[in-house]
Amino acid sequence: MKRSEFLRNTTLGAVGTLFVPEFLRGMELVGLQSKTNFNKLVVIQLSGGNDGLNTVVPYENDIYHSLRPKIRIPKKEVIKLNDELGLNPSLEKFNRLYDEGLVAILNSVGYPNPNRSHFRSMDIWHTGVDSNQHSKTGWLGRYMDAHCTTSHSMLELDSKLSLSLNGELRNGLAVQNSQSLYRSLRGYYFDQVIDTGEFADLHEDNQGYLYKTLVHTRQSGRYLAKTHTVKENNFEFPKSRLGRKLGQVSQFIRSGLSTQVYYVSHNGFDSHANQRNQQDRLLKDYSDSVYALVESLKKAGEFDNTLIMTFSEFGRRVKENGSSGTDHGKANNLFLIGNRLIRPGIYNAAPNLMGLDDGDVSYTIDFRNVYSDIISDWFGKDPSGIISKQFDPLDII
Amino acid sequence: MKRQEVIHLYNRFGFGLNAKEIRRFSKMSFEKKLRKETVDELRLDLSEFQGIDFKNLSKLERMELRKRGRKKVLDLNAAWMRKMISSENIVQEKMNLFWHHHFACIIDNPIYGLQFTNAIRKHATGNFRTLLLEVSKSAAMIDFLHTRQNNKRMPNEDFARELCELFTLGRDREYTETDVAEIARCFTGWNHRFSGAFFMQTRKHDGGSKTIFGKTGNFTGEDVIDLILQKKACAQFICENIYTYFVNPVLHEAHVNELTEVLYDSNYDIEKLIIHIANAEWFYARENILAKIKSPIEFIVGLAKQFKIENDSTESWLTLQRLFDQVLYRPPNVKGWKVNREWIDSNSLPFRLRIPSVILTNAQLQLEPKPDYDANPMGMERNNFSKRLGFSCDWDYFFANNKRINFKVLFFNNIISPQVAEFLENNSFASKKEEVIQLISLPEYQLM
């Protein structure tokens, strides 16, 4: 028996579940997890609708070039991956990862009856329900309900939490850094009272619920502040907002936090006008930041247990609009990055520009198929109850 | 009425009272208070959006117009906020807010927004049938639930489904999938003009025979609404929603049944229903006092009323609403906003505990709301967001209106956790202001 398991068993055995209030129980286990023995997921959300066709470019496709006279990326500029698809030149470092066999590119990922509103389509991606359904819980939140005991099992590097991380029993935590949650209550007028922790006797009514949430928040805040021992980055991250966020994720992982999911947004992809500059800049930032994350985790021996998924709420129209930009579209590409991918490279056929759906790329892979595989193949858990539909495995992870 | 009762009554049918109002309203029955209130429609100068020949606008001009429209909806939002904060018609204002929860609708067009809001304002304490019909016929709802896409040849069931599920009967209660399909046929042809005016597009209406709830006839949309209202289940569903919103988030079967009878027997008279609640002894039972968690709007308006918080900037109100996660005219989806406990987690609670003191001391705010690309296409994020919301507050007003009252009574109806009560006993405050700020930073301030 490993030391951590032994400790865990004795902790529960000695204290007994009966005597520990439910909301405190998770705290007993904290900090015992070894630094590398569980799989972690980093989700990077490209918000605003990234133009997938100028990200992974069908550079030999005439339709692509003719529908995008102003914003197309010429063949000589793309970084060629095979004889039909190539990367946006801003993705130079991302391409290095690709060449190392660490990247899987999934084309035409989407869902039936797509919605072109940012808000609604993001909701659909967050909740994983059909586009005519609504849910108050996200797919990761439901995973957390079923398999995690604390809120800091899932962290979003942001000041507000996404719907993805909302569960029925608990929500993930939105933190800007290791201190922000702790500081959010530091100097709070009644912290002395809260620290007495004598609120377990409060009823299950709303008053009790508020105090319990407060105690819980303080404990999670302390845990993050205390466990975050690695404060330097072992690789240089871009100074951008995304770079800082991923640098923080790297520190968290290398500190051995028990967190299983890190969630990060990269904003600004809504390129209705003058797309090239804006998107290329954002993609370069993405590419450099992700490269830094991978290298930094590799150096610390943490990369093997980390999977990085990148998605956007929708792709954009194939035809450019009148202001050198693109409007909201449908299916899009999705990236998986990791050292244990079964099938790195380009997973499926390039988007079919001959058979467009009302001017948009149609989906051939349901995004929930990817979620489902992550839950079963990466986390080793049963996706039913978390993802409402059943899918055949894609056999990527 | 006893002081504790008055405070409770207007926490629920209002946004909280100051000591002066507590004294004034304790000498007045709820019925009398209601009679003194008037229907107060929102007004907004929308002349720049009227008489536009939309059909002949270029794509770019349309985009530009939509953008201006979305901005104007924010003005409407702010106008409503100010009305809630300053109006004497506190019961009406609370009912307006409740019905916006009930009829969740995302609105981007200021003309339709104003029409929708005023339909609610006119009938918020009137007859539910009229209210339902007006809201259903409003341009905002017709757009939101795709009623105009619903035509004879290709029915769209969106409105029919939500009418049953969210507005009248409750999910899968007393209606079937076949009913939904048949109901959709009855609403074919419902449409609105660019001006927002409702019209019936006879060409698209399916005048054939339909079978709904086992009854057959050439039903119209209005007929369907009558068929639904004939079901007691509809009265029950409305009363359940009213009960969880105004009385207690946990349903009490006997009390709901009692209310259902009142609503049904009065032919859906909303005023009768709320008067019945206000007069019911059980409404003032200990388990109902301070049993609800404030929604963000209730929280903001309550605070703003008490301290006369003002701001000329529309943007500040919006930032505040977005940080709290509740923006008027922008519910997350057709199901509406979160309720009660769903508002509270480890992320929202620290913010909600601190925001009153931040506003009252005009301190700096470090939290940035998430970008909203639908409302602000191509919006870029700002680095190092840190701003003063720029709200002004009036402490003299607060103290002048809250003389001779214990603040624990004023804010918490004297219900406070024993540990905190003890802590407060043993600590003295540097000033009255300090005491007030500390008290409204207590978890109990989240309750009403």
Side-chain angles (χ1 to χ4, degrees), chain A residues 9 20 22 39 53 121 124 140 157 173 199 204 231 251 255 257 278 324 364 372 385:
Chain A
N9 292 341
V20 187
E22 204 279 326
N39 282 354
L53 289 171
S121 196
I124 293 164
L140 292 167
L157 278 288
L173 293 174
F199 295 96
E204 271 302 316
K231 307 219 163 126
Q251 291 180 12
S255 296
L257 252 63
Q278 183 186 350
S324 301
T364 58
S372 201

Side-chain angles (χ1 to χ4, degrees), chain B residues 12-30:
Chain B
R12 300 305 172 79
F13 289 97
F15 299 93
L17 302 177
N18 62 39
K20 242 188 204 164
E21 291 165 327
I22 294 170
R23 277 171 216 124
R24 186 146 57 94
F25 294 150
S26 62
K27 295 183 198 106
M28 192 190 294
S29 74
F30 184 69

Side-chain angles (χ1 to χ4, degrees), chain B residues 379-444:
Chain B
M380 299 297 289
E381 59 189 344
R382 284 168 283 193
N383 264 323
N384 301 322
F385 180 93
S386 165
K387 71 186 284 183
R388 283 177 214 285
L389 289 165
F391 288 100
S392 64
C393 64
D394 189 342
W395 282 98
D396 292 342
Y397 173 87
F398 173 80
F399 286 116
N401 285 293
N402 288 300
K403 287 177 188 153
R404 300 190 312 280
I405 189 163
N406 182 326
F407 292 142
K408 276 177 278 184
V409 173
L410 179 67
F411 294 126
F412 317 120
N413 225 336
N414 215 16
I415 289 175
I416 205 163
S417 68
Q419 289 89 343
V420 170
E422 196 190 312
F423 176 78
L424 293 172
E425 282 302 310
N426 299 331
N427 279 272
S428 57
F429 299 100
S431 67
K432 278 261 178 207
K433 256 193 208 181
E434 181 76 13
E435 181 186 356
V436 169
I437 289 183
Q438 296 208 13
L439 283 175
I440 62 176
S441 303
L442 270 176
E444 276 80 356

Side-chain angles (χ1 to χ4, degrees), chain A residues 47-48 117-120 123 133-134 136 156 158-162 171-174 176 181 183-190 192-193 198-199 201 204-207 209-211 213-214 217 241 244 267-273 278 281 327, chain B residues 59 171 249 291-293 322-323 325 331-335 337-338 340-342 344-347 349-350 353-354 366-368 370-371 373-374 377-384 416-417 419-420 423-424 434 437-438 441-444 446-447:
Chain A
S47 304
S117 143
H118 292 284
F119 186 75
R120 185 65 202 122
D123 254 21
Q133 301 283 311
H134 299 276
K136 282 180 171 172
E156 175 159 3
D158 208 313
S159 56
K160 301 261 289 166
L161 196 71
S162 296
N171 298 341
L173 293 174
Q176 282 141 309
L181 189 68
R183 279 198 208 120
S184 73
L185 285 170
R186 196 174 57 185
Y188 175 63
Y189 293 120
F190 300 97
Q192 304 167 47
V193 189
E198 285 166 15
F199 295 96
D201 57 330
E204 271 302 316
D205 63 7
N206 279 332
Q207 197 177 20
Y209 177 73
L210 284 164
Y211 277 94
T213 308
L214 193 50
T217 307
R241 189 181 277 212
R244 286 202 310 274
N267 299 328
F269 283 91
D270 196 18
S271 51
H272 287 284
Q278 183 186 350
R281 184 176 51 75
D327 298 327
Chain B
K59 203 180 159 199
R171 187 163 191 174
K292 254 199 71 176
I293 285 177
R322 285 179 59 191
L323 287 167
D325 240 2
N333 55 53
V334 59
K335 292 225 164 106
W337 286 286
K338 298 175 189 174
N340 195 39
R341 226 176 246 205
E342 292 164 0
I344 303 292
D345 67 10
S346 290
N347 307 299
L349 188 57
L353 291 172
R354 286 191 175 240
Q366 303 284 356
L367 292 170
E368 179 179 12
K370 282 192 188 289
Y373 294 102
D374 287 321
M378 301 190 62
M380 299 297 289
E381 59 189 344
R382 284 168 283 193
N383 264 323
N384 301 322
I416 205 163
S417 68
Q419 289 89 343
V420 170
F423 176 78
L424 293 172
E434 181 76 13
I437 289 183
Q438 296 208 13
S441 303
L442 270 176
E444 276 80 356
Q446 306 298 319
L447 301 166

